Amino acid sequence: MTRVAAIDCGTNSIRLLVADVDQEAGTLVDLDRRMEVVRLGQGVDRTGRLAPEALARTLDAAMRYASVCDGFGVEAIRFVATSATRDAENRQEFVDGVRAALGVEPEVVVGTEEAELSFRGATGVLAGSHPGPFLVVDLGGGSTEVVLGTDVPTAAFSMDVGCVRLTERHLRSDPPSADEVAASVADVRAALDEAAAVVPFGQAVTLVGLAGSVTTVTAHALGLPAYDPKAIDGAVLSVEGTLAACDDLLARTREERASLGFMHPGRVDVIGAGALVWREVVTRVRDEVAAAGGRLENVVTSEHDILDGIAWSAATR
């Protein structure tokens, strides 16, 4: 048994999982799981740099996480940083700050490794209840990873579209205008064209969505009065119900989104773009599965994602 801490620092949020991993038994037991919205990727798509205030928010959270790790007596920490830090000219400031706070080197992983970690985290708990091949989609703030496989990944691609990136690039009106939505859709479809050249979407039997945009759409589709991870994790939604929930969130005003009981305050501004990306992904996969002679009727949501994959990897180093 190894007690590990996994930290996933993305474009919108920074998350911590402290867990006991038993490699022989193949089990991962949560001890603490938490998330803070720090918006590290604020403005990166436009400036190419991490904003000083965004960096400060993120490093403050890292110091709080260091205290949590100390309290649990963690044996190993792995800190993975994703899209925003991949793109930033001044990422060394981030690296130095994390090292000072936690005593570990943050790893700025490439998109394919990000996809593989997400696949390991999601399929570790879903493989016994759903058939493969799985198409796992990790919809983040700056990028969206798609990875196909059954026991191990066989194809993966990282798309430079995410809820923060698209919001900053296109969705400025409240609610978004038709032209803004059209521009966003064009970006996502172009990215999906690139992804489909690498990942054969039509081979998917089970489509699995991960991360905050997807879980929030799922909460909306389920009509939850408050965010409930137990109800969301493993939820199976119809394709039609998923698309309807996406369309509804995209069309709402900021005030209407903020009034939803399950909505995290840090996601109010970007969930419209997240819903748009998820709508386009689900639609494309459904159509490609149909073209290959299959039928995609449902979408599975998982609360187990890249964070779990990082924890597994921390225990095996």
Side-chain angles (χ1 to χ4, degrees):
M1 186 84 71
T2 307
R3 181 159 294 182
V4 302
I7 300 174
D8 167 36
C9 186
T11 302
N12 195 47
S13 64
I14 182 169
R15 301 182 300 145
L16 168 70
L17 169 62
V18 178
D20 283 334
V21 177
D22 187 330
Q23 297 175 53
E24 291 186 5
T27 59
L28 185 153
V29 178
D30 287 19
L31 300 176
D32 193 292
R33 191 184 288 258
R34 60 183 67 193
M35 183 266 290
E36 294 188 35
V37 173
V38 292
R39 198 66 59 84
L40 178 61
Q42 171 191 326
V44 167
D45 189 58
R46 177 176 52 84
T47 67
R49 296 179 61 83
L50 299 170
E53 60 273 25
L55 192 56
R57 290 192 299 267
T58 304
L59 296 179
D60 283 347
M63 286 188 283
R64 287 189 288 276
Y65 287 177
S67 297
V68 175
C69 292
D70 288 343
F72 276 101
V74 164
E75 301 166 58
I77 300 174
R78 188 178 185 194
F79 188 115
V80 168
T82 52
S83 178
T85 41
R86 275 202 302 268
D87 300 338
E89 296 171 4
N90 60 334
R91 69 182 187 181
Q92 192 60 44
E93 296 177 41
F94 168 77
V95 170
D96 293 342
V98 170
R99 191 190 302 116
L102 285 152
V104 297
E105 191 84 6
E107 301 172 54
V108 182
V109 299
V110 298
T112 50
E113 184 177 359
E114 188 176 350
E116 289 165 3
L117 289 168
S118 296
F119 183 87
R120 174 72 188 276
T123 59
V125 295
L126 289 175
S129 54
H130 296 278
F134 302 96
L135 183 66
V136 175
V137 181
D138 187 346
L139 201 172
S143 64
T144 298
E145 281 63 50
V146 291
V147 54
L148 181 75
T150 300
D151 299 316
V152 296
T154 55
F157 190 82
S158 180
M159 303 185 292
D160 280 334
V161 291
C163 60
V164 174
R165 193 184 296 271
L166 282 185
T167 300
E168 292 187 349
R169 190 181 289 173
H170 297 302
L171 302 183
R172 300 185 177 92
S173 303
D174 183 28
S177 69
D179 286 345
E180 291 169 349
V181 170
S184 299
V185 167
D187 280 3
V188 178
R189 290 182 180 175
L192 283 167
D193 287 343
E194 291 184 70
V198 177
V199 180
F201 294 158
Q203 293 181 16
V205 173
T206 300
L207 174 61
V208 185
L210 317 178
S213 288
V214 175
T215 60
T216 302
V217 168
T218 302
H220 191 43
L222 293 172
L224 298 181
Y227 194 89
D228 182 354
K230 291 182 179 179
I232 293 167
D233 187 36
V236 179
L237 302 176
S238 69
V239 168
E240 292 75 13
T242 301
L243 298 180
C246 289
D247 286 339
D248 186 70
L249 284 171
L250 178 60
R252 286 178 180 250
T253 65
R254 186 189 190 286
E255 183 178 359
E256 289 169 340
R257 295 192 301 269
S259 69
L260 296 168
F262 55 78
M263 186 71 64
H264 189 286
R267 208 166 295 285
V268 172
D269 292 333
V270 297
I271 189 57
L276 183 150
V277 174
W278 190 223
R279 181 189 72 186
E280 292 301 314
V281 170
V282 172
T283 300
R284 179 65 174 262
V285 175
R286 178 200 63 191
D287 292 349
E288 296 220 7
V289 169
R295 182 176 175 85
L296 184 75
E297 296 183 345
N298 301 312
V299 179
V300 179
T301 302
S302 178
E303 287 274 356
H304 297 273
D305 51 29
I306 188 172
L307 201 56
D308 300 71
I310 296 167
W312 281 111
S313 68
T316 57
R317 291 184 150 199

